Amino acid sequence: MPGFMGIVSDKVHGFPEDFDPSFPVLTSRKEETKRFENAWFKRSIIDKFMDDKVYSEDRDVFICSDGLMLNARELKNKYACEDNFHLLKSLYRNSPSSFPSELRGDFDGVIYDKNLDSWTLYTNHIGSKWVFYCFDKEARCFVFGTELKMVVAGMRALGIEPELCEEGAYFLLTFGYMLGDYTLVKGVKKISPGSALTLKNWELESEEYYRLRNKPYIEDSEDKIIKTLDELFRDAIKAEYDKDLEYGYGHVATLSGGLDSRMNVCYARKLGYKDILNITFSQSNYLDEQIAKKIASDWGYDFLFYSLDNGNYLKNIDLPVFVNDGLVLFSGSMHALKIQSIISWSNIGLVHTGMIGDLIVGSYLLHPHHSSVSEEIIKKTAYSSKLMEKVDSEVFYKLKNSYDTDELFAFGERCINGVFNGYRVSESFSEYASPFLHVDFLDYAMSISPILRYEEKVYLDWILQEAPEAAKYPWEKTGLLINAGKLRKFLRKGMRYARRKILGPSPMDSMNPLKYWYKTNTSLRETFEDYYRKHIDLLSKNPELQKDVEKMFNEGTPLEKTQSLTLLAAIKLHGLEK
């Protein structure tokens, strides 16, 4: 996987010259290593968007950045900088701990200040790029990296044997992903979104430069709000598609039967971007395929479909865990990995998505008002409640109380720690973006009154008013046009529910009908059961956790089985069975 890692320790002097753990490889890449007086650093990159990926130094600083800075050109003009290295250095000099606030895009990085002998790690506003770290002040050791597995390798190089974090294990078995800054390894944390972490004089300090908020609410008319949404969305689309053109790349965009990816492609078309390859994956003939194929055909774009029939793509359990470090259930993004692995990326730029559009415009509002974090939102954001009582209550209490509203909890946990799993897949091949997550759009949209955003009201009104061409096709969520009446939606929903109750699992239940596949595909069922039998003893030194995993796998739904298998695969990957 592309990214970077570093070790800061007096023990670096004792490293053998050939100490150079390889980053896991799915696609060809370039690797570079540096040694400083008390530090060792390495990066691994795909040969794409190279000007955005700074790796340079002068007598004052060493800078490594990863991902994309969508507004780098504008900022270089603003600060009269000749390149991105000098831009980042200038921003850092102006504000050492909050300099990323001016950047836009999905990025992370590290700056070593040679004069202060300090290391500053940072991630973007929404934490879509993950950076992990382990700090031991007493032992004077600091290990960091964009992959948990590389931090684990660095720990072992320093003589620190990693141990399983049971809090993280139960998060995986309930929510299906980590919560907060937790990982599966004791003492290893993830940098919080919108934060910079600085090591200086063996003191570690985190400073938050950005926090997403719901309040104060925007007090404009709905018509004015829709016009502003439209304007900000256009700016976001232009920023990400222009980045492709800056490097001479073509475009690739996900497209389904939902509204979010459709709005991405619709606005790209409005703004004149051509030659977009639309990619879709689902059960054959499900609404996602039917609707996306029709849209791509009508709008004149190429279309690539990957069939998920029978769920055979889920038989390789180790590969997706290898990609996401086992921090999210493996079934969550394997389909994206499959389709992206068959694309030729040499002339294609970033992966354009509609990631989290529905959440931003209201789908996680439980009521037309905000509330504190409740059991209702916890249930909505968790994949399983079977072992919820095993989640550490004190840890959980602190996490819940760190959010002002239930909706912010849903965004901060399910989105950042869960849904961004899809981005880990794209990092194996290119970079990625979603206009809904462009921070200027995000800030505005999340501040719209919940009265307007409840049941996606303002979202649907925005589409009907500003993008009526996108409203001509059914919405996968309802199977109807978005302006269908409430009675028709109610009846359609009732018919779907009744059919499932009477007939049981069907291949047309969803884009990935896991219950149906598990019931009808003997090979898939045997693969899951065989993997479980071969690896359950990895938990033998954690008897209570082992008993819980046994119960969850043997009594749980197929989805809960994937949570159990993800934990076992992650323990194997990181060597946490000891």
Side-chain angles (χ1 to χ4, degrees):
M1 301 292 291
F4 59 80
M5 73 166 293
I7 301 173
V8 184
S9 170
D10 295 335
K11 296 180 182 180
V12 168
H13 288 300
F15 279 10
E17 286 298 319
D18 62 352
F19 173 74
D20 191 11
S22 295
F23 277 81
V25 174
L26 287 182
T27 51
S28 60
R29 65 206 53 222
K30 177 183 179 183
E31 295 191 348
E32 298 172 284
T33 303
K34 278 188 176 292
R35 282 181 181 247
F36 300 92
E37 184 178 356
N38 293 312
W40 178 94
F41 186 86
K42 181 173 184 175
R43 81 156 178 176
S44 174
I45 53 167
I46 296 170
D47 188 16
K48 298 182 81 69
F49 300 105
M50 291 301 291
D51 285 347
D52 280 64
K53 299 176 181 181
V54 174
Y55 188 78
S56 189
E57 65 183 315
D58 59 17
R59 65 182 183 180
D60 298 315
V61 295
F62 162 73
I63 300 177
C64 174
S65 70
D66 196 17
L68 297 180
M69 298 177 284
L70 296 179
N71 62 337
R73 279 185 170 179
E74 299 93 277
L75 291 177
K76 282 186 288 187
N77 290 332
K78 177 181 177 179
Y79 290 103
C81 295
E82 59 185 288
D83 56 33
N84 287 334
F85 169 75
H86 289 94
L87 170 62
L88 289 175
K89 181 180 177 181
S90 177
L91 293 174
Y92 170 74
R93 286 292 184 229
N94 291 341
S95 183
S97 56
S98 62
F99 69 92
S101 62
E102 287 200 61
L103 298 170
R104 294 293 181 267
D106 298 277
F107 57 82
D108 58 12
V110 56
I111 297 180
Y112 173 49
D113 190 318
K114 298 178 181 181
N115 299 315
L116 298 176
D117 191 27
S118 65
W119 291 82
T120 297
L121 312 177
Y122 61 91
T123 187
N124 68 328
H125 301 70
I126 55 173
S128 57
K129 290 279 190 181
W130 294 349
V131 183
F132 306 96
Y133 66 94
C134 174
F135 176 60
D136 188 327
K137 181 177 180 179
E138 186 175 325
R140 294 169 69 91
C141 297
F142 181 53
V143 185
F144 60 87
T146 52
E147 292 188 63
L148 180 60
K149 64 181 77 68
M150 299 307 287
V151 173
V152 167
M155 292 169 66
R156 288 197 168 105
L158 294 172
I160 304 170
E161 188 57 36
E163 297 179 43
L164 176 66
C165 172
E166 290 205 0
E167 291 90 347
Y170 280 110
F171 288 151
L172 184 60
L173 293 172
T174 48
F175 288 86
Y177 46 85
M178 298 297 104
L179 293 187
D181 61 0
Y182 278 80
T183 71
L184 289 172
V185 180
K186 279 185 182 178
V188 179
K189 302 294 185 183
K190 179 165 66 72
I191 295 180
S192 299
S195 297
L197 186 74
T198 299
L199 175 72
K200 182 181 177 183
N201 298 326
W202 290 106
E203 296 290 339
L204 198 60
E205 183 176 344
S206 178
E207 181 160 332
E208 184 179 75
Y209 66 83
Y210 171 82
R211 176 180 284 252
L212 181 63
R213 301 185 188 280
N214 286 129
K215 298 178 181 178
Y217 296 139
I218 294 163
E219 311 228 349
D220 283 327
S221 66
E222 183 179 9
D223 185 64
K224 177 68 182 300
I225 286 171
I226 287 174
K227 293 293 185 185
T228 305
L229 286 172
D230 180 75
E231 180 182 338
L232 291 172
F233 200 74
R234 286 172 180 267
D235 290 344
I237 289 286
K238 191 173 188 305
E240 61 180 73
Y241 280 83
D242 278 355
K243 182 60 71 171
D244 286 338
L245 299 182
E246 180 184 331
Y247 287 86
Y249 292 136
H251 312 295
V252 61
T254 58
L255 185 61
S256 67
L259 301 180
D260 307 336
S261 60
R262 183 186 313 184
M263 286 291 278
N264 184 345
V265 175
C266 175
Y267 271 75
R269 179 171 177 261
K270 280 175 174 286
L271 293 173
Y273 296 100
K274 304 182 185 302
D275 301 322
I276 301 175
L277 171 63
N278 293 149
I279 60 174
T280 302
F281 40 83
S282 77
Q283 174 77 19
S284 293
N285 297 315
Y286 182 64
L287 287 173
D288 277 309
E289 180 194 5
Q290 294 178 26
I291 297 168
K293 184 187 294 184
K294 176 63 173 169
I295 292 173
S297 176
D298 289 353
W299 292 354
Y301 292 138
D302 292 335
F303 182 73
L304 176 64
F305 175 71
Y306 183 87
S307 168
L308 305 182
D309 293 7
N310 304 307
N312 287 322
Y313 71 98
L314 294 171
K315 288 160 69 173
N316 188 339
I317 296 165
D318 289 325
L319 181 57
V321 171
F322 168 86
V323 170
N324 70 16
D325 280 316
L327 299 175
V328 187
L329 75 170
F330 82 86
S331 57
S333 64
M334 188 58 182
H335 38 44
L337 182 60
K338 279 289 190 178
I339 193 168
Q340 291 182 41
S341 67
I342 63 176
I343 295 173
S344 175
W345 289 94
S346 57
N347 297 315
I348 295 178
L350 60 92
V351 182
H352 300 275
T353 77
M355 185 77 82
I356 301 302
D358 62 331
L359 187 151
I360 293 166
V361 287
S363 67
Y364 273 78
L365 282 170
L366 302 176
H367 312 282
H369 57 80
H370 284 119
S371 305
S372 58
V373 180
S374 63
E375 292 302 316
E376 192 177 1
I377 195 67
I378 289 169
K379 183 177 181 181
K380 187 177 176 72
T381 54
Y383 283 100
S384 173
S385 60
K386 271 189 169 58
L387 299 174
M388 191 65 76
E389 75 281 358
K390 292 296 184 75
V391 174
D392 188 296
S393 58
E394 185 176 344
V395 170
F396 205 18
Y397 178 80
K398 289 179 180 178
L399 281 170
K400 290 192 294 184
N401 283 277
S402 65
Y403 292 97
D404 294 333
T405 68
D406 48 0
E407 186 183 35
L408 289 175
F409 174 85
F411 182 88
E413 300 302 340
R414 186 174 177 94
C415 173
I416 292 173
N417 286 325
V419 179
F420 284 168
N421 178 40
Y423 280 160
R424 303 289 76 77
V425 167
S426 296
E427 284 175 337
S428 302
F429 308 98
S430 185
E431 296 296 335
Y432 46 82
S434 168
F436 293 98
L437 293 170
H438 196 277
V439 69
D440 302 302
F441 179 90
L442 177 64
D443 274 338
Y444 185 83
M446 291 291 278
S447 296
I448 298 170
S449 168
I451 295 173
L452 280 177
R453 288 195 296 123
Y454 183 59
E455 295 184 338
E456 294 135 333
K457 179 185 185 305
V458 75
Y459 190 18
L460 303 183
D461 289 346
W462 168 28
I463 295 172
L464 290 168
Q465 181 174 315
E466 299 294 335
E469 61 270 47
K472 294 178 180 179
Y473 305 90
W475 181 13
E476 180 273 336
K477 180 178 179 180
T478 63
L480 302 168
L481 298 178
I482 64 172
N483 58 353
K486 288 188 175 182
L487 179 59
R488 285 192 68 197
K489 291 178 181 178
F490 176 78
L491 292 174
R492 178 74 176 231
K493 185 177 180 180
M495 289 172 62
R496 281 182 168 184
Y497 178 79
R499 180 186 56 76
R500 289 172 185 170
K501 276 291 186 181
I502 296 169
L503 301 178
S506 158
M508 294 296 106
D509 284 344
S510 70
M511 63 170 283
N512 50 351
L514 183 54
K515 287 184 178 179
Y516 174 79
W517 292 337
Y518 199 78
K519 178 181 178 182
T520 60
N521 186 345
T522 303
S523 178
L524 178 64
R525 195 164 58 249
E526 289 176 347
T527 298
F528 279 23
E529 292 170 353
D530 184 59
Y531 195 96
Y532 166 77
R533 284 193 299 269
K534 287 181 177 178
H535 296 93
I536 186 60
D537 285 342
L538 293 175
L539 284 169
S540 60
K541 293 191 176 180
N542 304 80
E544 184 177 351
L545 179 59
Q546 181 177 8
K547 184 178 178 181
D548 288 335
V549 172
E550 289 172 349
K551 178 180 180 181
M552 190 163 184
F553 184 86
N554 290 317
E555 299 177 12
T557 65
L559 185 63
E560 289 171 329
K561 295 179 193 297
T562 71
Q563 291 174 259
S564 303
L565 297 179
T566 302
L567 178 60
L568 296 178
I571 290 170
K572 181 176 73 168
L573 173 67
H574 300 301
L576 301 175
E577 69 275 14
K578 300 175 183 178

